[in-house]
Amino acid sequence: MRKIKKNDNVLFFYNDSKKWLMKVTPKQKFHTHVGIIDHKKVIGKPFGSAIKTNKGKIIFALEPTIYDYVMKSQRGTQIVYPKDLGYIAARIGLQSGQKIVEIGTGSGSFTTFLASIVKPKGHVYTFDVDENFMAIARKNIEKAGMSKYVTMTKLDLKVAKKMPQKDVDAIIVDLGDPWVVVPQARKMLKGSGAFVAICPTMNQLENLASALRKNDFFDIECTEQIVRTIEAREGKTRHSFRAIGHTTYVAFARKVTTPASMRKIFAPVEPQEIESEDLDSTEDESLSSLKK
């Protein structure tokens, strides 16, 4: 069982809405509404240990996860929430050893998440143009211990003539106008590589989807992830009054290569409408399989 050492990051957990992520040092005392958290009380104890504040309240010293680093990151911009991060990782097949390009570093929370999965042999190359945001991102990435797996560069890829990377596994775009960098993303991606964009509005999705089709991207999917939490208590389980509603839309696509001689055959097509009879047949097939 790993014990807490001086300068370790610890998540002090009181309840779902009251928790604090900080580096522990022997002389540090943190004042909260539930009492003082004395750091020296947890140093040398195993992660998961309970301590008492001076007000007699119980607080647990937990080992932080990437979820905690993301949610507790210093924010200069809006972050991508874990509910979206998890689906993105599954949708693009994110795994250790991959090379990822991120256009728009923001607060670095997404960067941290990506690095935590592609490490130790993979790497994240992230680009931004705002030095203030980059300074915040650098601190968040360092705090999570991911600096070794991230290279941060000040570069505007919208106007760059030479692409900084090639044959990357996935490109993540978090810009207000993601469609502008679709051609640049195509140049950097390997064949069948994944393109992901964070889009707060549907207007952005429309413009982006059009640009993706024009630049030989297929398997285009636009989603919104909704999570509803449940207050599970004996005899009075109900939906939580607190919720994270709409945060963003997410667009996915994959790079393909279409020879000039085949372009007319594989011209971009609009998504097909699903006919009602198609839904009925799918439902019938599902029911028949259940009966078997």
Side-chain angles (χ1 to χ4, degrees), residues 69-81 85 102-114 126-144 146 150 152 174-175 198:
Y69 285 114
V70 168
M71 295 305 292
K72 292 296 183 181
S73 60
Q74 182 183 347
R75 305 182 189 186
T77 60
Q78 177 65 36
I79 68 167
V80 181
Y81 280 84
L85 296 176
E102 181 185 38
I103 305 176
T105 309
S107 296
S109 61
F110 202 164
T111 320
T112 298
F113 174 77
L114 294 168
T126 184
F127 301 89
D128 209 305
V129 296
D130 191 307
E131 292 183 352
N132 293 325
F133 290 158
M134 292 174 72
I136 293 172
R138 190 171 287 108
K139 290 179 182 178
N140 288 330
I141 294 166
E142 288 175 355
K143 186 174 184 178
M146 294 295 138
V150 175
M152 188 183 300
D174 192 356
L175 300 175
I198 308 303

Side-chain angles (χ1 to χ4, degrees), residues 17-18 49 54-55 72 134 136:
S17 60
K18 302 297 179 185
S49 296
N54 65 318
K55 292 184 177 181
K72 292 296 183 181
M134 292 174 72
I136 293 172

Side-chain angles (χ1 to χ4, degrees), residues 30-291:
F30 183 68
H31 294 254
T32 77
H33 71 292
V34 294
I36 298 172
I37 300 173
D38 191 344
H39 285 199
K40 70 174 180 287
K41 287 186 176 181
V42 301
I43 294 175
K45 289 189 175 183
F47 277 104
S49 296
I51 61 169
K52 274 188 178 182
T53 69
N54 65 318
K55 292 184 177 181
K57 301 294 185 181
I58 300 297
I59 290 178
F60 297 96
L62 305 180
E63 186 170 8
T65 65
I66 286 299
Y67 173 90
D68 299 315
Y69 285 114
V70 168
M71 295 305 292
K72 292 296 183 181
S73 60
Q74 182 183 347
R75 305 182 189 186
T77 60
Q78 177 65 36
I79 68 167
V80 181
Y81 280 84
K83 70 182 182 67
D84 302 305
L85 296 176
Y87 185 70
I88 290 171
R91 185 65 173 80
I92 68 175
L94 191 64
Q95 58 186 295
S96 176
Q98 290 183 328
K99 181 164 70 170
I100 310 296
V101 162
E102 181 185 38
I103 305 176
T105 309
S107 296
S109 61
F110 202 164
T111 320
T112 298
F113 174 77
L114 294 168
S116 74
I117 296 180
V118 302
K119 72 177 181 72
K121 295 183 178 180
H123 204 82
V124 179
Y125 299 88
T126 184
F127 301 89
D128 209 305
V129 296
D130 191 307
E131 292 183 352
N132 293 325
F133 290 158
M134 292 174 72
I136 293 172
R138 190 171 287 108
K139 290 179 182 178
N140 288 330
I141 294 166
E142 288 175 355
K143 186 174 184 178
M146 294 295 138
S147 298
K148 182 179 178 181
Y149 314 106
V150 175
T151 298
M152 188 183 300
T153 305
K154 183 181 180 181
L155 178 66
D156 188 353
L157 283 169
K158 293 179 183 179
V159 297
K161 294 182 179 179
K162 184 179 179 181
M163 294 300 101
Q165 295 295 326
K166 63 179 181 179
D167 294 327
V168 303
D169 295 283
I171 289 185
I172 315 295
V173 181
D174 192 356
L175 300 175
D177 49 358
W179 53 89
V180 174
V181 296
V182 169
Q184 293 88 324
R186 180 172 178 79
K187 291 177 183 177
M188 289 187 281
L189 278 170
K190 70 177 187 180
S192 153
F195 176 98
V196 180
I198 308 303
C199 298
T201 72
M202 286 193 174
N203 305 78
Q204 292 169 309
L205 283 180
E206 290 178 11
N207 291 333
L208 176 60
S210 177
L212 288 169
R213 294 188 183 100
K214 290 177 182 177
N215 284 272
D216 278 357
F217 280 88
F218 277 72
D219 189 20
I220 299 172
E221 176 191 84
C222 300
T223 68
E224 179 184 25
Q225 281 61 243
I226 302 294
V227 172
R228 172 184 267 179
T229 56
I230 307 297
E231 298 287 350
R233 295 172 294 178
E234 188 174 355
K236 49 183 178 179
T237 296
R238 58 165 174 79
H239 299 131
S240 174
F241 293 133
R242 293 183 299 106
I244 299 175
H246 171 74
T247 51
T248 191
Y249 301 109
V250 184
F252 302 90
R254 300 182 76 181
K255 173 184 173 180
V256 297
T257 303
T258 309
S261 60
M262 300 172 65
R263 286 192 178 275
K264 288 186 178 180
I265 303 174
F266 291 101
V269 294
E270 294 299 319
Q272 296 295 311
E273 293 291 338
I274 299 176
E275 300 294 339
S276 58
E277 52 264 31
D278 293 334
L279 291 173
D280 292 340
S281 63
T282 303
E283 185 176 322
D284 291 340
E285 290 173 5
S286 299
L287 288 174
S288 61
S289 64
L290 285 173
K291 290 176 181 177

